[in-house]
Amino acid sequence: MNCLANTTDLTAKLFTMVTRIGSRILWSAVIGFSIMSAFLVSTALASTSAESGDWPNWIGKDLQPAPSSHWQADVVGESVTFSPTQALPKVLVIVSRKATSYDIALKTLLSVYSRELPQTQWIVKQLPSNPIALAALLKQAEKKVNLIYTLGSKATVEVRNLYAGGKLPVISVNAKDPVQLGLIDKYSGSGDNFAFTSLNLPADVILSFMKRFNPSLKNIGILYANTNRSAYLTQFLPLKAVAEQAGIKIVPVAVDESMADLKLDLAMGRAIADLKENDPQLDHSLLWLTGSSSLLSRVDEINRYSQKLALISAVPDVVNQSQDSALMSFGVSFVNNAHQAAIYGLQVINDQVDVGDLPVGVISPPDIAISFQQAQRIKQKVPFVLMEMASDVYGVNGTVIRMDGKPVRER
């Protein structure tokens, strides 16, 4: 009997213990379920999401994030990933085409952001070949990125034509003057979702520097690619207007290798003959190289055909240490233009400014670069005032004397 009683007591104690443990497990499960439910409900109430057609059927559609939510949902394969919409800034860069100038600009953007906002993610896409594909890219970007850069005039024009007033802010890089391109009406800002930077200097400023270089200037031969509409509109035509008003003859040098009579050697030969009509020794003439990308890589050929005319460029980057350098430039460097665009982008991402209120970014004073190697080659004197103003100076043997406005020893 005692044995039976002891067994009964032991059974009762075990039952009580199991009951308590079970209650705790059950209670923990209830609490866990409640927390999970609260998380799911809050997620459903505050999140951006995949399209309803992409949503999997094994999870409730009420969990799709709302457009104004803190969350975004990405459906990949058999999984759904919930992540904060503003966890990492994402930037889309639309590149017009392959060009060294665009590489320089993109490298500058990455460098500035790596210092100021290193967690930024970058997506780089080539400009789609047709408006339908571009519209699809922009629509997709609205779900994934915070900011768009258009790299090059072609990309800037095409995105502007399709996306003015769109949801995402857009900033131009390495593009020509947006007012002269007809993209906006005034330099004070677009008033919508675009901000612009410009590689162009005002034509009257360019002419004033040319007169400092050659006070007795009579003729200017302007080199531009025949297919480069932006260079023609924003660099050739404005300089032609102010120069002719000042009594200076303009000789167009349109180059197009696909047309027999516009190949570089023939176009240059005609231009030189035209310049010599009122300046036989070419002492009062110069060549102006616009920002036509296809010609910027052919400076060596241009120098060869120029008969020792001074070659001055709108792009400081083509004045360098090599024998294939232009003699001088007055303009905006790709690096400085991209740096300004980077600063604009950081201000927009950090909500410090409304993108439509940003004025067209023009570097002032201009970047001036001089190659004394080229000056010696054509026996050209360089006025001391321009030497003082130059930010980049290269010696007669190509060595760097000054870079970014500072002597090399100081750097």
Side-chain angles (χ1 to χ4, degrees):
M1 291 293 293
N2 289 338
C3 182
L4 181 58
N6 290 338
T7 300
T8 302
D9 291 341
L10 179 59
T11 302
K13 289 178 180 179
L14 286 172
F15 179 79
T16 302
M17 185 181 302
V18 169
T19 302
R20 289 175 179 173
I21 293 173
S23 298
R24 290 174 183 172
I25 293 172
L26 179 60
W27 182 243
S28 297
V30 170
I31 292 173
F33 179 80
S34 299
I35 292 172
M36 180 60 70
S37 298
F39 168 77
L40 293 175
V41 170
S42 63
T43 301
L45 291 176
S47 293
T48 57
S49 143
E51 294 292 336
S52 58
D54 299 331
W55 196 251
N57 57 15
W58 50 265
I59 187 171
K61 288 188 176 181
D62 59 338
L63 290 170
Q64 282 186 264
S68 60
S69 91
H70 168 74
W71 299 100
Q72 64 182 5
D74 295 314
V75 179
V76 180
E78 296 299 318
S79 69
V80 179
T81 302
F82 289 88
S83 56
T85 56
Q86 300 299 324
L88 292 174
K90 294 181 182 179
V91 175
L92 170 64
V93 182
I94 301 177
V95 183
S96 295
R97 58 182 176 78
K98 182 178 180 180
T100 302
S101 57
Y102 301 156
D103 294 342
I104 293 170
L106 181 54
K107 186 180 294 185
T108 302
L109 288 174
L110 293 172
S111 176
V112 174
Y113 274 79
S114 69
R115 295 192 306 268
E116 303 296 332
L117 202 60
Q119 69 270 35
T120 304
Q121 292 184 344
W122 293 79
I123 304 166
V124 182
K125 296 273 190 181
Q126 187 175 10
L127 178 69
S129 58
N130 61 75
I132 295 175
L134 177 57
L137 173 61
L138 294 169
K139 184 68 175 177
Q140 185 180 33
E142 291 182 345
K143 305 173 188 175
K144 295 184 176 181
V145 307
N146 306 90
L147 173 69
I148 297 174
Y149 280 110
T150 54
L151 188 43
S153 296
K154 183 175 176 60
T156 300
V157 170
E158 293 195 15
V159 173
R160 176 65 177 173
N161 289 340
L162 275 178
Y163 201 63
K167 295 180 181 179
L168 291 173
V170 182
I171 299 174
S172 74
V173 192
N174 210 319
K176 308 295 192 308
D177 187 305
V179 174
Q180 292 173 349
L181 285 174
L183 302 181
I184 54 175
D185 298 326
K186 56 187 185 303
Y187 290 96
S188 57
S190 69
D192 52 38
N193 64 314
F194 274 72
F196 297 91
T197 62
S198 175
L199 286 174
N200 296 96
L201 292 177
D204 57 342
V205 173
I206 294 171
L207 186 60
S208 70
F209 276 101
M210 288 180 173
K211 287 182 174 179
R212 288 187 183 188
F213 174 75
N214 189 335
S216 60
L217 188 63
K218 293 181 179 179
N219 306 312
I220 304 171
I222 304 180
L223 277 150
Y224 64 95
N226 193 49
T227 56
N228 193 319
R229 185 71 177 165
S230 63
Y232 178 78
L233 290 175
T234 69
Q235 294 180 314
F236 174 79
L237 289 180
L239 183 57
K240 180 177 185 293
V242 298
E244 289 181 345
Q245 190 174 13
I248 296 172
K249 179 181 177 180
I250 292 296
V251 176
V253 191
V255 179
D256 188 342
E257 292 300 320
S258 68
M259 301 176 67
D261 61 335
L262 293 183
K263 290 183 180 295
L264 180 61
D265 56 344
L266 295 178
M268 286 287 294
R270 286 193 301 271
I272 297 295
D274 198 350
L275 292 169
K276 284 184 174 180
E277 286 185 1
N278 68 339
D279 184 18
Q281 303 302 316
L282 299 177
D283 294 329
H284 312 290
S285 304
L286 59 81
L287 287 175
W288 175 250
L289 176 58
T290 65
S292 300
S293 300
S294 60
L295 293 178
L296 296 177
S297 60
R298 304 181 69 183
V299 171
D300 57 335
E301 297 175 74
I302 295 169
N303 281 336
R304 194 160 63 243
Y305 300 134
S306 66
Q307 295 191 18
K308 296 189 176 182
L309 273 171
L311 177 63
I312 300 178
S313 176
V315 179
D317 303 70
V318 299
V319 179
N320 51 53
Q321 296 173 271
S322 75
Q323 294 181 350
D324 301 329
S325 167
L327 185 149
M328 188 179 298
S329 71
F330 320 124
V332 179
S333 73
F334 300 136
V335 170
N336 285 344
N337 172 262
H339 189 275
Q340 186 170 39
I343 298 303
Y344 273 9
L346 288 166
Q347 290 176 333
V348 171
I349 286 176
N350 291 324
D351 293 324
Q352 295 173 341
V353 68
D354 188 332
V355 66
D357 293 337
L358 287 166
V360 176
V362 180
I363 302 297
S364 181
D367 297 313
I368 298 176
I370 301 172
S371 167
F372 280 97
Q373 185 177 38
Q374 294 301 315
Q376 184 182 56
R377 180 181 68 84
I378 65 173
K379 297 180 174 57
Q380 172 70 55
K381 294 180 179 180
V382 177
F384 184 71
V385 64
L386 295 179
M387 170 68 178
E388 283 187 310
M389 297 175 68
S391 53
D392 298 342
V393 178
Y394 302 91
V396 293
N397 58 356
T399 56
V400 180
I401 296 174
R402 188 185 303 160
M403 183 65 66
D404 297 330
K406 294 182 180 181
V408 172
R409 287 183 180 179
E410 288 186 19
R411 286 173 57 83

